[in-house]
Amino acid sequence: MADLFDTPDLSSDAPRPLADRLRPRALSEVIGQAQVLGPEAPLGVMLASGSLGSLIFWGPPGVGKTTIARLLADETDLTFIQISAIFTGVPELRKVFEAAKMRRANGQGTLLFVDEIHRFNKAQQDGFLPHMEDGTILLVGATTENPSFELNAALLSRSQVLVLERLSLTDLELMAQRAEHELDRPLPLDGSAREALLEMADGDGRALLNLIEQVAAWKTDAPLSADALAARLMKRAAQYDKSGDAHYNLISALHKSVRGSDPDAALYWFARMLEGGEDPRYLARRITRMAVEDIGLADPQAQAVCLQGWETYERLGSPEGELALAQAVTYLALAPKSNAAYVAYKAARSAAKQTGSEPPPKHILNAPTSMMKDQGYGAGYAYDHDAEDGFSGQNYFPETMKRPVLYAPVERGYERELKKRMDYFAKLRAKRG
C-alpha cells in the first residue's frame, strides 16, 4: 500500500517535463551548493559520519531543496515523504506521523520533507517536536523566508539550518549543457542569446529548464539572437516579496549603499525595488529616514531634498515622480555623512530613562505665583540676551545630574561649523562655570 502523499508511479510512456527527466539520481550529480554538499561541508560530513540530523534548507526557489532532500533519503535508506505546509492541515499531519510510527515499528525510518515549512503556525510547528525527539521522523524543512523570524526557537534548536544559494551563471550553463545532452540537440541560440537565456532564469534552475523546454520546441532556420529571444520569451519577473526577506534585504542594501557614499549602488538597489513592485511611497519614507539618520546636520539640506522629492512624487505619481526620488537617493549618497545627531538622540533617550524623575533646576522654572517665588523658582536665572555675547553659561540639567556630553559633531560638512560652535560654548561655560 502506498504511503500517504507518495507520488504515484507514472507510465514509462507518459511525457515527462525536462526538469523531471534531469532530476539528479545522486548527490554527486547536484549542480551547485558545494557549500553544503562538499566533503568538508555540513551534509558531506554528516553523511560520512552516518549522523544525519534534522535540517532546515533556507534558499530561493529552484536551487535544489526538494531534490537534495529526496537524495538524502536515498543515501540513508529512509522512506521519503513529502508534504507542503500550504496544503496540509492538522488531520493530514496526524496521518503522516501515524504512518511514520508504523514504519518505525517495522524497522524503517522516515525522512519527512516539509516544503514551505514557515507557513505552519506555532502550534503546528510544535507538533513536530515529539516525533523528532523520539526518532519517528527525520525532519527536513524548506523555506524561502528567514528561519530566524519564521520558525519557532524550539524547532530551530533541534535542527541545523543550511543556506542554499541561487545558482551562478556557471551552474546554469552546466545545467543547460545537461539539458542539451538529454534533448540530443543544441539549443537554437547564438552566444548572446544563450547568455540572455541564463540571465532570464535569475539563478533558478527549475525556471531555466522550463525556458529551455520552450526554446527547444521552436522550429528555426538559424540560431536566434538575443533580441529575437527577448521577442519570443517574456522576461521572468525578479524574485521580490514586499513583505518577505527580499524586501528587507534590498532596503538594507539601499541604505548601506547610501551610507557608504556609493550613488551607483544606491540607484541600483533603488531600481531593483521599483522593478520588484515596491511602493515608491515606502521608498520615499525610508530615504528620508536615511537623511536624518546617516547625514543629519552634516548636510541639513539633505532632509529637505528628500521631502521635496517625496512631495514631487505625490504630485506627479509614477513613473515620472520616481525620478525625483532617484535624485534624492543620489544626493544622499554624495552628501557628507554624520550620525552624531542620531547617536546624541539615542543617548538622550537613555539618560532620560535613567533620570526620569529628576526635576529641572529651580532657576530655569517660571514663577507665576508668589508661593512659587518663595520656593525659589526663577531665582538667579540669567537672561542670555543680557550677556555681552548672548551666552550665560548656566546649567540647564537637573541639579543632581552630572552634565553629559550627548552631541559630538564630526569634522565633516556643515557639522564642522557646528563643532566650532560647540567648542566655543564649552570654553565659555568652563570660564563662567
Side-chain angles (χ1 to χ4, degrees), residues 345-357:
Y345 164 73
K346 291 192 291 184
R349 290 294 298 266
S350 177
K353 289 178 182 178
Q354 295 172 11
T355 60
S357 299

Side-chain angles (χ1 to χ4, degrees), residues 54-58 117 139 141 143 147 151 155-156 159-162:
S54 291
L55 304 165
I56 301 295
F57 290 155
W58 173 27
I117 192 171
L139 176 70
T143 177
L151 299 184
L155 188 62
L156 287 175
S159 311
Q160 182 169 346
V161 176
L162 300 181

Side-chain angles (χ1 to χ4, degrees), residues 232-309:
R232 292 186 176 214
L233 281 180
M234 181 70 70
K235 186 180 186 303
R236 181 170 178 265
Q239 296 169 12
Y240 189 77
D241 178 356
K242 288 188 280 185
S243 62
D245 276 354
H247 167 84
Y248 297 106
N249 289 343
L250 266 61
I251 193 61
S252 176
L254 170 58
H255 195 152
K256 289 179 174 63
S257 298
V258 166
R259 183 181 294 155
S261 301
D262 189 335
D264 294 329
L267 284 171
Y268 171 76
W269 294 116
F270 174 76
R272 277 280 298 272
M273 297 189 78
L274 288 178
E275 289 296 325
E278 185 59 74
D279 184 353
R281 292 177 180 83
Y282 169 79
L283 290 165
R285 180 171 67 84
R286 287 303 299 257
I287 62 176
T288 304
R289 167 63 189 263
M290 295 173 203
V292 296
E293 178 179 335
D294 287 296
I295 293 160
L297 294 174
D299 185 351
Q301 182 66 16
Q303 184 177 336
V305 169
C306 291
L307 292 174
Q308 289 166 8

Side-chain angles (χ1 to χ4, degrees), residues 52-76:
L52 185 64
S54 291
L55 304 165
I56 301 295
F57 290 155
W58 173 27
V63 297
K65 296 188 288 292
T66 305
T67 295
I68 294 174
R70 187 183 295 275
L71 294 174
L72 284 175
D74 293 342
E75 291 272 349
T76 53

